[in-house]
Amino acid sequence: MGAVGESECCRLDSVYLSKGELMKSLLELHTNIAHDMGEWLGVDPSRDIKTMRSRCAKEGDEFLILNLPTFCDGVLYAVREGAFDPSMTPGFRCRGGLPVFLRGYMDRLFSADSSLRIDADHKALTAIRQICLLSKKIERPVKGRRLLEAQKSFVDCDKEVGNWEDTFDNPTLRDTFKTVSKYLFRDVWYDLMNEVNSFSLIPRHGPGAVAEKLSAKAKWSFPFWYESIERYFPHHLYTDYDGRCDMRDVVAIPDEQPVRVVFVPKTVKTPRVIAIEPSCRQFCQQSVARFLYKKLRRRYRGLDLTDQTRNQRMARQGSRDQSYATLDLSEASDRVSTTLVEWLTDSHPEVFEVLMALRTSRAELPDGTVIPLRKFASMGSALTFPIEAMAFFAAAVVGIMSARGLTSPKAVKLQDVSVFGDDIIVPGDAYDSVCGVLEALGLKVNTKKSYGSGPYRESCGKEYFAGEDVTISKLKKDLPTSRRNAQSLASLVAMRNEMYLRSYDASVRWLDAQISRVIRFRPAPLYHPSLSAWTTELVMPDRVDPRLQVGQIRRPILSPVARDYRVDGR
C-alpha cells in the first residue's frame, strides 16, 4: 500500500461510487475502446456500442466483466478449431453463421461459410479481444458467497490431490517420470545437499506477509524456531546475529503453526489462493529457492525462472508455424502432490526430507478450521514456483518421449521445452501426449488457455496470432475516486500510458479526464517513472538544477507508508 505524494498541497475528500456509477464508468471506457478499435480498422462501432449499452442496462457490469470474456473465449476456440459455430458464443445472436455483435471484426476473421479465413486479420482479433477482455481482470474484494465458494474449492482440490495419491496405478508412468527426473536434476540435487550439509545456504525474508502478521522489520526478531527445520537450519547458526539465540524457543513439530490461507482478488470470477507461511520457515525456504533459481538458470535455458521472454518468443514462433504448443494449468500450485515431489527427488531421497522439513503440513482456513494438506505447497511458499516448474518440465519431457516413441530422455531436444511457472511450451506434435501425462500425474490442463493447433498462442502475458502480437491492455482495478486509492490510481495510470503507446486516442482522453479528477495529471516524457501522462511532445522543465544545469520536472509518485519498529538493542 502506498500514498500519493506531490509538490503541490492538495486536499481531496474521499468519494465512494455506487455500483451503478462504477458500471457507468466501465461502460464509458468500453465505449471509448470500441470507438478506438473502429477508427483503427474502419469499422462503424455504433451498433456494437448500442448492444453494450442495452445489455448493461439489463445485466449490469456482469455483461462487461463476465459475459464479454465468455464471448471472446468462444471466438478463440473457433480460431483454434478453424471454424466458427453459433454454439461457441451462447447468449449472442447470430446471423449468416456469425455473431451480429462485433460483426465488422468477425467478417475479417471468418469467411461466409464460417471457416477461418486464410488471410485472417490479426488486427480484427486484437480489436475483439480488447473490447471483450478489457474488464475481465478487475480485482474485486473476496467476501460473502465468493469467499465460501473459494474456501470449499480449496478444500475440494486438496481432497482430489489425496484421492489421486491413493488411487494412482500406473507404475510405467511413475518409473519413467523418476528416470527423467534423475536425468534432468540429479546434479542439481547433489549440489543442493552439499550446500545444506555444509550450512552454506543463505536464508532471507521475502517481500510478502507471514503467518504471524509481523511487519517487514519485525520478521527478523524470530520469537521462535521450528523443530522440523532445526536439523538442516540450526537456529544458533542462522539467527545469532543479535546474541539472543539462547532465548528462542524451538517449537515441537505437533505445535508448529499452520499456514494461514487467504483469498486475494484475481478476477471477479476466481480469487487467488495464498497460503501464508510462518516467518522462520519462509526464511529458510528462500535460501533453497534462491539456490534452485540460480542453478536451473545456468543448467537449462528452458527453466530460467527469472525471464519470461523465452516463453514469449517460442509462443510467437508457434503461432507462426505451429512448431510449438502452449499449455496452461488450472490450480497448478495446489495440484502438485507430495508424491510427485518424492518422485522428482527420487535420485536423492535426502532432498525430499529437506523439502518436507521446509513444508507446512497443515492449513488454517479463513473460518478458523485447520486441515491437513496433501498438496506439496500453495502459492505463498518460496519453494512452490521452482519445484512445480521442475515437475512440469520433467512431465513435458515424459510426454515428448511418449509422443515420439523414445525410450531415453537423452533423445529429447531440451531446447524445445520451456517452463515458467504453469506456462509450458512443448513441440506442437507432442501437445496431446504432454496433456495426457500432466493429467495422469494429477494435474489439470486448462484447455481454454492451451493451444496446440491453429494460429493463436499465449504465454507469460503475451498473445500472438500468426506471428503478430495481439496483446491488449486490461483494467486491473476499479477506477480510483481519491488519492487514498493509491494502488488503483497507479494501475490506471499504467494502463493509460500503455494505451497511449498503442494510439488509443479516445480512451486516453477519457482516462486523462478521470485521473485528473484525483491528482494533478501532467505530461512527462515516455517511460518517466511517475504518475504522469506519457507524451512524445516536448515537456518544458519546471526548474533548472542549479548545480547540474539540467532541466527537471516535478510529478506525483507513490511513496510507501512506513511503520515504526522499535529495536530494543539487546
Side-chain angles (χ1 to χ4, degrees):
M1 182 62 69
V4 178
E6 60 180 332
S7 59
E8 301 86 354
C9 293
C10 179
R11 181 179 179 274
L12 286 172
D13 294 329
S14 180
V15 179
Y16 298 94
L17 296 182
S18 67
K19 186 175 180 180
E21 290 172 321
L22 283 173
M23 184 196 73
K24 182 179 179 181
S25 297
L26 283 180
L27 179 58
E28 288 303 314
L29 182 54
H30 277 264
T31 298
N32 281 283
I33 283 290
H35 280 296
D36 284 325
M37 297 299 101
E39 184 176 347
W40 186 35
L41 291 177
V43 173
D44 182 5
S46 56
R47 177 172 293 190
D48 300 326
I49 292 173
K50 183 178 179 181
T51 299
M52 288 193 289
R53 292 189 184 281
S54 63
R55 295 279 301 256
C56 281
K58 298 176 183 178
E59 304 168 33
D61 61 4
E62 284 191 4
F63 174 72
L64 303 174
I65 299 173
L66 299 177
N67 296 341
L68 281 185
T70 300
F71 176 87
C72 188
D73 288 342
V75 174
L76 290 178
Y77 183 74
V79 169
R80 180 173 57 191
E81 297 300 312
F84 180 85
D85 185 89
S87 63
M88 296 175 180
T89 54
F92 289 85
R93 185 166 54 92
C94 292
R95 182 183 299 159
L98 293 175
V100 175
F101 183 62
L102 300 181
R103 184 58 173 263
Y105 309 107
M106 293 293 289
D107 284 338
R108 297 186 179 214
L109 283 177
F110 300 95
S111 58
D113 63 355
S114 299
S115 62
L116 185 67
R117 296 171 60 121
I118 297 177
D119 60 344
D121 188 352
H122 73 278
K123 293 181 181 179
L125 182 61
T126 302
I128 293 172
R129 297 184 68 252
Q130 184 62 77
I131 293 171
C132 293
L133 301 182
L134 175 65
S135 302
K136 179 183 179 181
K137 294 288 187 179
I138 284 185
E139 299 174 355
R140 296 273 174 85
V142 184
K143 55 186 179 181
R145 180 175 57 85
R146 289 183 63 219
L147 178 61
L148 295 176
E149 291 175 352
Q151 180 171 296
K152 182 178 183 302
S153 177
F154 178 83
V155 174
D156 290 345
C157 178
D158 199 68
K159 288 180 179 179
E160 290 177 18
V161 172
N163 291 337
W164 175 83
E165 289 185 317
D166 297 336
T167 60
F168 181 82
D169 186 23
N170 190 338
T172 301
L173 176 58
R174 177 198 61 205
D175 294 342
T176 304
F177 186 83
K178 288 182 177 181
T179 300
V180 169
S181 299
K182 181 178 181 179
Y183 170 72
L184 294 173
F185 306 123
R186 174 177 51 197
D187 294 341
V188 175
W189 300 139
Y190 178 81
D191 292 341
L192 174 60
M193 284 313 302
N194 283 341
E195 294 288 304
V196 171
N197 292 331
S198 62
F199 306 113
S200 299
L201 293 174
I202 302 176
R204 68 174 182 180
H205 284 296
V210 292
E212 301 93 331
K213 301 182 180 180
L214 302 174
S215 68
K217 293 180 180 178
K219 291 178 187 178
W220 294 95
S221 61
F222 294 115
F224 47 78
W225 202 253
Y226 287 160
E227 179 185 356
S228 58
I229 60 177
E230 176 71 10
R231 174 183 172 186
Y232 304 105
F233 297 88
H235 73 284
H236 68 277
L237 292 179
Y238 288 97
T239 68
D240 189 17
Y241 53 82
D242 62 356
R244 294 179 58 195
C245 70
D246 58 325
M247 301 176 63
R248 294 192 176 89
D249 295 327
V250 176
V251 179
I253 293 177
D255 299 324
E256 293 179 356
Q257 185 173 356
V259 293
R260 179 164 54 90
V261 177
V262 297
F263 300 98
V264 299
K266 181 182 178 183
T267 65
V268 171
K269 203 170 184 179
T270 309
R272 187 187 303 278
V273 180
I274 303 291
I276 304 176
E277 295 277 347
S279 58
C280 62
R281 178 165 277 131
Q282 187 264 355
F283 178 69
C284 298
Q285 289 172 356
Q286 289 285 347
S287 65
V288 176
R290 289 174 66 193
F291 173 87
L292 292 176
Y293 276 61
K294 183 177 179 180
K295 200 73 177 179
L296 294 173
R297 181 171 67 250
R298 291 178 175 178
R299 189 171 181 84
Y300 299 114
R301 287 186 297 169
L303 267 177
D304 185 351
L305 303 180
T306 63
D307 181 19
Q308 304 180 53
T309 58
R310 175 177 165 81
N311 268 45
Q312 294 168 353
R313 289 193 302 270
M314 294 175 71
R316 186 171 204 154
Q317 181 67 31
S319 74
R320 183 181 293 116
D321 58 17
Q322 285 73 61
S323 57
Y324 295 110
T326 59
L327 291 88
D328 183 79
L329 301 180
S330 298
E331 303 169 316
S333 305
D334 291 322
R335 290 186 176 274
V336 176
S337 65
T338 54
T339 297
L340 193 61
V341 176
E342 184 178 12
W343 297 348
L344 186 70
T345 59
D346 184 65
S347 61
H348 287 77
E350 61 274 22
V351 172
F352 181 69
E353 296 179 10
V354 173
L355 296 179
M356 289 300 101
L358 293 173
R359 167 186 176 264
T360 305
S361 59
R362 297 180 302 142
E364 181 182 357
L365 303 177
D367 65 3
T369 305
V370 177
I371 63 170
L373 295 176
R374 299 295 295 269
K375 62 175 67 75
F376 171 67
S378 295
M379 292 302 295
S381 168
L383 293 175
T384 298
F385 196 67
I387 293 299
E388 72 175 14
M390 296 171 76
F392 302 158
F393 194 89
V397 173
V398 172
I400 294 171
M401 292 171 58
S402 176
R404 298 176 178 176
L406 305 176
T407 58
S408 171
K410 295 180 180 180
V412 176
K413 293 182 179 179
L414 298 181
Q415 61 266 32
D416 288 339
V417 182
S418 189
V419 175
F420 189 91
D422 64 346
D423 284 302
I424 305 168
I425 308 279
V426 297
D429 65 299
Y431 172 79
D432 291 331
S433 178
V434 172
C435 287
V437 168
L438 291 169
E439 293 277 354
L441 293 174
L443 305 167
K444 189 175 181 180
V445 177
N446 184 355
T447 55
K448 288 185 178 180
K449 297 182 67 176
S450 299
Y451 299 90
S453 59
Y456 180 81
R457 299 288 186 274
E458 64 176 52
S459 185
C460 295
K462 283 287 189 177
E463 296 92 20
Y464 301 98
F465 180 82
E468 299 289 342
D469 191 342
V470 294
T471 306
I472 60 172
S473 301
K474 295 178 182 178
L475 184 65
K476 300 295 180 66
K477 297 179 182 294
D478 280 314
L479 301 180
T481 55
S482 80
R483 289 199 203 184
R484 297 176 186 177
N485 307 124
Q487 292 181 336
S488 296
L489 179 59
S491 176
L492 191 66
V493 169
M495 188 184 77
R496 179 269 177 208
N497 289 331
E498 193 176 79
M499 288 185 171
Y500 177 82
L501 296 177
R502 291 176 173 153
S503 300
Y504 296 173
D505 296 335
S507 301
V508 167
R509 287 193 297 270
W510 187 85
L511 289 170
D512 285 348
Q514 301 302 308
I515 297 171
S516 296
R517 295 167 59 186
V518 182
I519 61 172
R520 188 178 180 188
F521 197 50
R522 301 168 65 191
L526 296 181
Y527 310 109
H528 193 270
S530 63
L531 299 180
S532 53
W534 289 354
T535 180
T536 56
E537 299 177 2
L538 178 65
V539 178
M540 298 302 295
D542 295 317
R543 72 171 189 178
V544 176
D545 187 289
R547 184 171 61 88
L548 300 177
Q549 296 299 305
V550 295
Q552 295 180 327
I553 61 173
R554 176 172 285 180
R555 299 293 183 268
I557 61 170
L558 281 185
S559 57
V561 177
R563 292 179 173 85
D564 291 335
Y565 174 70
R566 185 174 61 86
V567 180
D568 59 21
R570 288 187 296 173

